Every structure is written in structure tokens, then in C-alpha cells.
Amino acid sequence: MRNIIDEILEKKSRNIPITDWLQPSRPRWDLVSNRISRIRAIPHAINLLDLICYRFEIEDIEKYPEIESECHEVRFPGGVVNEISRYIPIGLVACIEAYFRQVYADLIDYGDPYKQNAAEFSDIKFNIKTAISLERADLSIGDFISHLLPINSFEGIESTMTKLTGSNFSQALEREIENSKELQQTELLIGSEEDYIKRGYKIISGGLVVPTSQKLHRDMVCAIKDVFELRHRLCHEASPIMSDHDDAVISEAPGAVLRFLVVSEAVVERMLS
């Protein structure tokens, strides 16, 4: 029989304690920020590896015997650089899932209306025995319920957040984007104004355009869905054929996930303030 309490405790035991990190006052963000920073550096590490192992001449590498054999091992199989890049969506989805599991717990433990809204998840059973086990394990109701809520897709997160908060989470993200000046970067107008308007831009003075909040939200959601979908294929298919679109998803994923979590954190902070 599945022991939920033991699963939660085991998972928590594998995480670095938040009190050891730089900003213990922001546990949700601290839970994932360091790993996201490291994942964002992976493309640079890949470029460095590609430069050393594939673009240097053999004669140049032979001057450095300490790396010669390692370069040969990387060169020989081929595709090692691409294989490393495939870790990016896997690691980023882990960050998204960990972040929102903590968000679920924080909302429920905050109290009403979120705790009351959690009663809508009728398939989650909670009894006196569970309550006693939680107290003995020093776990909260939020810890217990959040462990059982869906986090493995954008749609699952959106649906769960909407039920917990009682308001449309996707719309809340769009409102936050609309209020964020940092996300609304201006671009030079190159081409017809009509074309830019069709693509979701607003025309401003001086030959500049700015993406609408609707476009930014739409692009962000599409990017997160793509990351989840690609992560699923990379985890469950031995030799997936990678398209140009897949390569673009990997390239843009770190920035897209960072924006998604930053906007989500702003929304959650507002809910808990």
C-alpha cells in the first residue's frame, strides 16, 4: 500500500535545506533558483565543449595531453553535445514541478479561502489517522495535499491553481505581465505596421513596437507547454528524432521557464500578502 507520508519525508530529505541558502525568506523561489541558474549556464558549457572538442584542430589539442584523451572520447561517439543539451528541459520541468508543489502547500497552509477550496479535490482522502501521522512527521496539511495534486503539465498546474485560488490562474498571469514593464521590451519596427499588429504588437512612437500582454502571455504558455512535451519525449523515448523546433525549444527553454516562474511568483505573493 502506498505510504504518502513516507514519500513526502523521503522527498524532503533529498532536498538541500532552505535554511542553508542565501534568501530563506523566499523558500518557494530558493527551492529552484540555484538550479535554474546552473541550467541557464549549460548552453555556455556546451558551446565551450563544442569549441574545444570539435573546432580545434587535432594538432592544437595534442599540445594539451591532459585533455587530449578526453576530447577523443567526446568526439568518437558523436552527438555528445546534443545529448547534453537534452537535459535542459528535463531539469527545468523538475524546477517547475518543485516550485508549484510548494506553491500548493503554501496556499493551503495559508488558510481560507485556499484551504476551503482544496476541498474540491474530492479524490484526496484525509482522515484522523492521516492527521495524526502528519503531526508526528511534522508535516502540514498543505504538504500532504500538494503531494497528490497534478503538476506534470501546464494544463494540470493551471487547473489546480484555478481551483485553489478560486480565480482563473492563466488570466492572473496575463494581468501580471500587463503590469510588468520589464517584460514589455520595445523593438524596432521593420516592415509594415499591419503585419506587426497581426502578430500581437502595439505600435508606439518613433518607429518602435511593443508586444501586447496577450502576445507575451500566449508565447509564454506555448513555450512552457513545449518544454513539458519535449521533456516527456526525452524521458520516455530512447532515440527521439529532434526537429528544428525541438532545438529551438531547448535553446529558449531556460529564459521561458524563468519568466514563467517569475510571473507566477509575483501572482502568488500577491495572493498571500
Side-chain angles (χ1 to χ4, degrees):
M1 181 180 294
R2 184 181 182 188
N3 189 317
I4 304 299
I5 306 297
D6 285 349
E7 287 181 16
I8 298 171
L9 290 173
E10 186 176 349
K11 181 172 289 188
K12 283 180 174 289
S13 72
R14 293 194 296 264
N15 285 327
I16 300 172
I18 291 174
T19 53
D20 289 349
W21 297 353
L22 296 178
Q23 295 179 312
S25 61
R26 302 182 64 192
R28 289 184 304 275
W29 188 246
D30 290 342
L31 190 62
V32 298
S33 61
N34 286 349
R35 189 173 184 185
I36 289 178
S37 295
R38 291 191 290 268
I39 293 172
R40 293 181 72 195
I42 289 177
H44 301 287
I46 289 173
N47 290 339
L48 181 61
L49 184 64
D50 181 64
L51 178 66
I52 294 173
C53 293
Y54 294 100
R55 301 190 188 184
F56 280 12
E57 297 295 334
I58 296 294
E59 294 77 12
D60 294 327
I61 296 176
E62 288 175 348
K63 298 176 184 177
Y64 304 94
E66 64 273 19
I67 66 169
E68 181 182 358
S69 62
E70 302 298 337
C71 286
H72 175 73
E73 292 296 328
V74 172
R75 278 188 174 195
F76 179 70
V80 171
V81 168
N82 291 334
E83 191 63 38
I84 294 173
S85 71
R86 296 179 183 188
Y87 165 76
I88 292 175
I90 296 172
L92 289 173
V93 167
C95 290
I96 295 173
E97 292 181 345
Y99 171 79
F100 276 98
R101 198 177 294 286
Q102 187 62 51
V103 167
Y104 298 164
D106 289 348
L107 287 170
I108 294 167
D109 290 336
Y110 179 82
D112 291 336
Y114 313 121
K115 182 176 288 185
Q116 183 62 39
N117 291 341
E120 290 192 27
F121 302 104
S122 56
D123 55 330
I124 296 178
K125 306 303 180 184
F126 190 89
N127 52 36
I128 295 176
K129 184 178 179 180
T130 304
I132 294 172
S133 298
L134 287 174
E135 184 178 6
R136 287 176 176 171
D138 196 24
L139 295 173
S140 68
I141 296 175
D143 287 328
F144 179 81
I145 296 176
S146 68
H147 186 75
L148 301 173
L149 295 178
I151 52 170
N152 59 355
S153 69
F154 175 81
E155 293 84 354
I157 291 170
E158 179 186 30
S159 174
T160 300
M161 287 294 292
T162 296
K163 286 182 180 179
L164 275 179
T165 63
S167 59
N168 189 293
F169 181 61
S170 190
Q171 291 178 4
L173 293 175
E174 186 175 329
R175 286 194 298 271
E176 192 61 42
I177 290 172
E178 188 173 9
N179 295 329
S180 173
K181 301 299 182 183
E182 291 79 8
L183 292 175
Q184 299 176 25
Q185 299 292 323
T186 57
E187 302 176 22
L188 281 174
L189 192 158
I190 303 175
S192 69
E193 292 186 358
E194 183 180 356
D195 180 56
Y196 272 89
I197 292 172
K198 287 181 180 178
R199 289 161 51 197
Y201 287 85
K202 293 186 293 186
I203 310 299
I204 57 179
S205 60
L208 298 174
V209 295
V210 63
T212 63
S213 58
Q214 292 86 357
K215 172 179 169 53
L216 290 170
H217 173 263
R218 182 174 63 250
D219 290 350
M220 182 181 73
V221 170
C222 286
I224 299 305
K225 288 181 178 179
D226 284 343
V227 172
F228 269 107
E229 191 275 334
L230 185 55
R231 175 261 188 186
H232 179 80
R233 285 198 285 124
L234 292 175
C235 284
H236 298 285
E237 298 177 14
S239 299
I241 297 174
M242 302 292 286
S243 66
D244 290 342
H245 174 71
D246 294 331
D247 291 337
V249 169
I250 289 176
S251 175
E252 298 167 8
V257 170
L258 180 62
R259 284 190 296 274
F260 175 52
L261 294 184
V262 166
V263 174
S264 297
E265 177 66 9
V267 171
V268 173
E269 281 191 340
R270 203 180 305 279
M271 292 174 176
L272 296 177
S273 61

